[in-house]
Amino acid sequence: MNSSAIDIKDLHFSFDKTEILHKININFTKNKFYSIIGPNGSGKTTLLKNISKILKPTTKSIFLDNIDILDFKNSSLARKLAVVPQNTTIDFDFTALDIVLMGRSPYLSRFESESKKDYRLAKNAMNMTNTWQLRDKIINQLSGGEKQRVLIARALAQNTDIILMDEPISHLDLHHQIEILDTIKLLTKSITIVAVLHDLNLASQYSDYIILMDNGSIITSGTPDEVITEKNIKGVYKIDMCMIKNPINNRPHIIPFTSKKNTNKL
């Protein structure tokens, strides 16, 4: 029995003849929380877009349950994985509940209305993300953080085995960051989560595995203890920092500081 949710084999991706991803090889095991970290421009979002077929790899290199993603119809792929994008523009005055119900569209035929089951799954997803009280609000009247939680609810309502998240907590305050990450962590009992995160300490705290990228390549991957090391972080992020153990969970915790060299430039 294949325990991998996603298998990536020798993935390359170029845009306008510029290679963005180079020789990506990684397996995502089922029912785990994966974080992808790395500096801006390292290829994290491009990797997610290749996995979701928003950007199409030119060769057979990404497989879901041993099936190449290029062989999936869009509707079939949407029943396998859901996506929480980094930025979403919504041009119409949909309510928050309308947006979450859109997560059920892969299961509906053309012109078919949502069933009681669809509404139940949408309500459950909104309760999980603390957005049910926003159900009648117009999506574009919500704050950035509220809208982000509604988009996460839409992905949950899609009821897939895999959820890809591109900076899912970037617009949230600290309380809602922890609330959403706690929810996501619980979901890994039955769902594989692959999330791009910028906060290295939250990635360390919540992830089962971490993938460190730079310049379109995977530098290293493994458990937080294996990836969040002083050597790795200094080498990729080019910062001065010290490493301690989180006293709550004994995970690596980074304390960055300004170097004397940078201070002298001020």
Side-chain angles (χ1 to χ4, degrees):
M1 181 178 178
N2 182 16
S3 63
S4 292
I6 307 168
D7 295 311
I8 301 180
K9 302 175 182 179
D10 201 26
L11 170 64
H12 294 255
F13 181 80
S14 298
F15 185 75
D16 284 344
K17 298 182 180 180
T18 300
E19 189 170 53
I20 308 299
L21 298 177
H22 174 71
K23 203 173 184 179
I24 302 294
N25 289 280
I26 193 77
N27 296 330
F28 296 92
T29 304
K30 292 178 180 178
N31 305 343
K32 299 292 183 183
F33 189 148
Y34 288 85
S35 293
I36 305 175
I37 63 173
N40 292 338
S42 58
K44 305 182 297 297
T45 295
T46 302
L47 176 57
L48 283 194
K49 287 183 175 180
N50 271 258
I51 297 172
S52 61
K53 213 172 74 166
I54 294 173
L55 297 174
K56 296 182 180 180
T58 54
T59 59
K60 292 182 177 293
S61 49
I62 303 176
F63 302 86
L64 304 183
D65 294 332
N66 296 319
I67 301 173
D68 180 66
I69 64 160
L70 298 178
D71 294 334
F72 282 96
K73 294 181 180 178
N74 288 340
S75 58
S76 299
L77 186 61
R79 292 193 289 269
K80 299 285 291 183
L81 61 82
V83 179
V84 179
Q86 183 177 354
N87 295 301
T88 299
T89 300
I90 301 170
D91 295 325
F92 298 97
D93 287 337
F94 294 112
T95 67
L97 179 57
D98 291 333
I99 296 297
V100 176
L101 283 169
M102 289 177 186
R104 302 302 304 152
S105 60
Y107 303 94
L108 303 177
S109 59
R110 193 175 183 184
F111 303 123
E112 182 181 3
S113 297
E114 294 88 354
S115 66
K116 289 182 179 180
K117 176 184 177 181
D118 296 318
Y119 278 94
R120 176 174 53 81
L121 289 171
K123 182 177 181 180
N124 288 344
M126 297 186 81
N127 281 328
M128 292 174 70
T129 54
N130 194 21
T131 55
W132 179 242
Q133 73 278 9
L134 304 174
R135 61 190 178 277
D136 296 323
K137 301 286 187 180
I138 301 301
I139 188 68
N140 288 320
Q141 295 176 356
L142 300 180
S143 69
E146 289 171 335
K147 185 184 294 187
Q148 186 72 357
R149 287 187 285 134
V150 169
L151 295 176
I152 293 171
R154 180 181 66 180
L156 297 179
Q158 205 167 321
N159 199 32
T160 59
D161 293 331
I162 303 167
I163 300 181
L164 309 179
M165 298 183 167
D166 193 359
E167 299 184 38
I169 59 173
S170 60
H171 299 294
L172 305 181
D173 59 40
L174 182 59
H175 169 79
H176 286 113
Q177 285 183 349
I178 299 303
E179 185 177 65
I180 288 296
L181 288 173
D182 283 343
T183 298
I184 292 170
K185 186 66 175 177
L186 287 173
L187 289 172
T188 57
K189 294 177 180 178
S190 57
I191 295 177
T192 301
I193 303 290
V194 182
V196 170
L197 294 178
H198 275 301
D199 190 313
L200 302 187
N201 289 325
L202 288 178
S204 176
Q205 180 175 335
Y206 282 94
S207 305
D208 295 305
Y209 296 97
I210 296 177
I211 299 157
L212 176 61
M213 295 187 66
D214 194 23
N215 295 319
S217 298
I218 294 176
I219 303 303
T220 188
S221 63
T223 65
D225 283 314
E226 292 169 334
V227 175
I228 305 294
T229 67
E230 191 167 338
K231 178 182 178 181
N232 288 339
I233 300 307
K234 279 186 174 181
V236 169
Y237 286 90
K238 307 296 189 288
I239 60 170
D240 290 319
M241 42 78 68
C242 64
M243 189 79 66
I244 64 172
K245 287 290 186 180
N246 185 315
I248 304 299
N249 55 28
N250 208 37
R251 295 282 183 100
H253 187 89
I254 296 165
I255 301 176
F257 56 88
T258 303
S259 67
K260 292 180 181 179
K261 177 177 64 177
N262 290 334
T263 302
N264 292 335
K265 292 180 180 180
L266 298 177

